[in-house]
Amino acid sequence: MRCKTLTAAAGLLLMLTAGCSTLEKVVYRPDINQGNYLAPADVQRIHTGMTKQQVAYILGTPMLDDPFGNNVWIYVFRQEPSHENTTQQTLTLTFNDAGVLTNVDNKPKLDGQKS
């Protein structure tokens, strides 16, 4: 009798645990997108020698700019799909004093990866 009770309790516990993880996938979670959407085709159009106006025309205004000057623009796009890993893309653009693009640094990153 005791063995049957323990077996039934273990089975019930197993079903509850498996049921919760299955239930989590069924529950609706919206996709969350934050920041500047960076289309790969638009990012490929950016190259050194462009002016700030040309870059802004293609990518829009940056999410962040350098607080100590106006020569670094940072575009960040973070995407959190409903039941998948979060990804983040950071595009850092450096301009010279004349407002001409001198450096493009594009870093895609998955959550859980080290920078």
Side-chain angles (χ1 to χ4, degrees):
M1 180 72 172
R2 184 172 181 188
C3 185
K4 288 181 181 179
T5 305
L6 287 174
T7 305
L12 182 63
L13 183 62
L14 183 63
M15 286 191 318
L16 283 175
T17 321
C20 290
S21 64
T22 304
L23 184 62
E24 182 180 319
K25 297 287 186 181
V26 173
V27 173
Y28 175 73
R29 286 180 42 197
D31 294 344
I32 300 172
N33 299 321
Q34 296 176 319
N36 299 90
Y37 176 70
L38 298 172
D42 290 340
V43 173
Q44 289 176 355
R45 291 174 54 193
I46 302 300
H47 57 83
T48 57
M50 296 179 80
T51 65
K52 288 182 179 182
Q53 291 81 14
Q54 291 170 326
V55 172
Y57 180 76
I58 295 171
L59 297 178
T61 57
M63 178 174 251
L64 304 167
D65 56 2
D66 184 9
F68 302 108
N70 199 18
N71 293 334
V72 178
W73 286 2
I74 302 170
Y75 292 85
V76 179
F77 179 61
R78 182 176 171 91
Q79 188 172 28
E80 189 175 337
S82 61
H83 294 286
E84 298 175 21
N85 291 335
T86 301
T87 59
Q88 178 174 315
Q89 181 179 4
T90 304
L91 177 66
T92 305
L93 304 176
T94 307
F95 298 90
N96 64 14
D97 291 333
V100 176
L101 184 62
T102 58
N103 187 33
V104 178
D105 187 16
N106 188 11
K107 295 183 181 177
K109 179 185 171 217
L110 285 172
D111 245 11
Q113 289 182 338
K114 295 182 180 178
S115 299

